[in-house]
Amino acid sequence: MDASQLAQLVVGWQASGAGGLSQRLTLALRHVLATGVLADGQRLPTERALAVALDVSRPTVSAAIAELRSLGLVESRQGSGTIVTPRTGSSSAIDLASAAPFDASHLGSLTLDTANLLAVSPPSGVGPDGITVGLEALREHIARRHRRSGRPADAVNVLVTSGAHQALAMVIALRVPVGGLVLIEELTYDGLRPLVESLGVGFATVRRDHLGVDPSHLDTLINERRPDLVVLLGGVHSPTGVVSPAERVEQVAAVLDHHAMVVLVDGAGDDLAFQPPIHHLGASCEVAEVISVGTLSKSAWSGMQLGWIVTSEASVAQLARYRATALDHGPSIAAQLLAGQLLQRFDDLLDARRATLFDAARQFEVWFAEALPEWQVHTPDGGLTVWSALPGDDASGFVAALAAGGVSVRAGASSRPDGQPDPHLRLCFDRPPALLDEALDRIVEVWNARR
């Protein structure tokens, strides 16, 4: 690959990421290397040629290549130039299955030093009773965002957790007895069924239509099954990408209020609607007890491993005692401090992130309409993924063929707790353009080979 070809793969690199030019170029080249377009052992263009093609100084390119070398992604050999380091035992498959940010480059600069750590009291974050609920400043940030969306909350109502999955597990474990029953959606977070089953709890599924949860079927199931808890997805639904309109949310709230249910709302997709604000179930229910779960894993970075539960003050204390006894002593202080920094400028970050995701989703839609017109691609209202229906009854076979062809996607059946076949794929578009281009080329190649 010559310098001009490589430059085409990183178009727009100066406007992406954070830091100086060399740091941004390093990030862009890392994204290209992740596609597998450059084979193991392939030689990179010379620094001089690449600098000319990118219209930057040679020291900028040299610094970027040096950083790639320090990361072990490339290596320089006397007389051979710089080559892509062979990835022994690693896969070159492009991951469109994981609905999470590709990296943390969109977060901008975050700083954490010893002075920040020394200011924490108690130093470990754990009180003398062995209980921790999270740093006060972070809990207030979370409560403030909750109040802005019409849902009452103060810091005392917030428990900081090690991600949304832990938050869901804690609430279900405490609110549903072994052998009890929860209602979950027929299409939902793919980790929910194994989580529920691991806790010795049964489940029944609520139908969805193009607007969200079917309130009539929800009412019927509650009457017939008398569940201990209802678990629903808030904000942008995963995997479909649907944001329920206010009227549908009010209808669902009315059913939950009528039965005085306890409802656990997984708000992992709350912040990524392309047309905010969204209508929250917690702002509509007047009788039902609504427990909210949130996370930064979709809107910021999954590597932070930080989430939260918003519930009554008494429930926060109960959940914290349970965690200290059965699980851990809460998320790391460093993660909480970094999350607090992010939440101070979260609105600006979300505005930029939504715009980027919206553009990527529309590009996906156009591309599939042109290259694979027989696929039915649902236009998402937000989030990180598209929900696409293939011809036929089940897409699992094509998922396996794609994996062999170097692209990892999620089969629709994995989002169905009932285990039934499903013709859909879930594909994450929150990836660098060069990575998406290569992935989409591979998808078409595999699809055409199977026709």
Side-chain angles (χ1 to χ4, degrees):
M1 180 178 295
D2 63 28
S4 61
Q5 292 172 318
L6 183 53
Q8 284 298 312
L9 292 177
V10 298
V11 168
W13 66 273
Q14 294 193 37
S16 302
L21 283 180
S22 64
Q23 293 170 297
R24 293 171 187 246
L25 180 56
T26 301
L27 179 66
L29 292 173
R30 282 176 55 196
H31 290 169
V32 171
L33 291 170
T35 68
V37 171
L38 296 173
D40 291 356
Q42 184 170 349
R43 187 187 308 181
L44 297 184
T46 65
E47 293 178 3
R48 184 185 302 277
L50 192 53
V52 171
L54 295 171
D55 194 25
V56 295
S57 69
R58 184 173 176 181
T60 296
V61 174
S62 297
I65 297 298
E67 180 63 20
L68 294 176
R69 193 181 298 116
S70 71
L71 293 170
L73 299 176
V74 300
E75 55 189 59
S76 298
R77 297 177 179 175
Q78 188 68 33
S80 300
T82 300
I83 65 168
V84 178
T85 302
R87 291 161 284 192
T88 304
S90 67
S91 171
S92 60
I94 298 174
D95 175 21
L96 303 187
S98 175
F102 182 75
D103 56 33
S105 58
H106 58 280
L107 299 182
S109 297
L110 295 171
T111 59
L112 190 62
D113 58 29
T114 305
N116 300 126
L117 302 178
L118 291 174
V120 175
S121 180
S124 65
V126 180
D129 55 359
I131 304 299
T132 178
V133 291
L135 298 182
E136 181 74 16
L138 176 59
R139 296 165 70 210
E140 181 51 46
H141 279 304
I142 294 166
R144 188 180 303 119
R145 295 192 65 80
H146 221 67
R147 292 194 298 270
R148 283 172 48 185
S149 63
R151 299 169 291 175
D154 292 307
V156 294
N157 302 117
V158 178
L159 175 70
V160 182
T161 65
S162 300
H165 189 82
Q166 184 190 73
L168 292 168
M170 291 169 63
V171 174
I172 295 171
L174 281 182
R175 301 304 290 264
V176 185
V178 173
L181 181 75
V182 299
L183 298 187
I184 61 180
E185 299 179 46
E186 65 175 347
L187 290 170
T188 190
Y189 162 53
D190 54 16
L192 188 55
R193 173 180 173 170
L195 170 59
V196 167
E197 291 180 332
S198 74
L199 295 171
V201 173
F203 69 90
T205 58
V206 184
R207 285 197 300 263
R208 289 182 56 87
D209 59 24
H210 67 288
L211 296 179
V213 170
D214 181 340
S216 176
H217 191 234
L218 176 63
D219 183 56
T220 298
L221 278 178
I222 294 175
N223 275 320
E224 293 178 349
R225 304 297 300 272
R226 302 297 178 186
D228 299 282
L229 180 70
V230 177
V231 181
L232 302 178
L233 302 185
V236 181
H237 181 265
S238 177
T240 65
V242 168
V243 173
S244 293
E247 182 180 4
R248 175 55 61 89
V249 175
E250 294 288 351
Q251 292 168 348
V252 172
V255 172
L256 296 168
D257 279 344
H258 174 71
H259 293 283
M261 287 302 305
V262 181
V263 56
L264 173 58
V265 179
D266 180 354
D270 278 356
D271 292 317
L272 294 179
F274 295 150
Q275 298 293 329
I278 62 174
H279 203 78
H280 289 275
L281 193 63
S284 299
C285 289
E286 297 179 358
V287 178
E289 178 187 354
V290 179
I291 303 170
S292 298
V293 165
T295 180
L296 292 175
S297 67
K298 309 296 184 186
S299 52
W301 181 42
S302 57
M304 196 168 287
Q305 292 294 308
L306 189 132
W308 55 83
I309 302 168
V310 182
T311 183
S312 68
E313 184 175 358
S315 291
V316 166
Q318 183 186 28
L319 287 161
R321 287 194 297 271
Y322 166 74
R323 177 171 63 187
T325 301
L327 300 174
D328 57 34
H329 291 292
S332 77
I333 295 298
Q336 293 186 66
L337 290 170
L338 291 174
Q341 287 185 35
L342 277 178
L343 290 177
Q344 290 180 39
R345 51 182 173 84
F346 208 45
D347 288 340
D348 290 340
L349 183 148
L350 286 178
D351 286 344
R353 185 136 166 75
R354 290 188 192 110
T356 298
L357 292 172
F358 177 84
D359 289 344
R362 294 303 173 264
Q363 288 170 6
F364 238 46
E365 183 182 5
V366 169
W367 193 95
F368 276 112
E370 293 176 350
L372 297 169
E374 60 268 54
W375 291 25
Q376 297 178 12
V377 180
H378 170 76
T379 303
D381 298 322
L384 313 178
T385 61
V386 293
W387 185 239
S388 175
L390 277 59
D393 298 324
D394 186 38
S396 299
F398 184 63
V399 171
L402 269 184
V407 181
S408 173
V409 302
R410 184 76 69 184
S414 67
S415 296
R416 297 188 64 93
D418 59 12
Q420 294 299 307
D422 192 283
H424 292 87
L425 301 180
R426 192 193 73 187
L427 305 99
C428 182
F429 51 76
D430 187 21
R431 298 291 184 265
L435 203 66
L436 289 180
D437 287 345
E438 176 64 19
L440 295 173
D441 286 344
R442 295 183 189 184
I443 289 171
V444 169
E445 182 178 356
V446 174
W447 180 255
N448 288 339
R450 288 173 57 87
R451 294 172 70 177

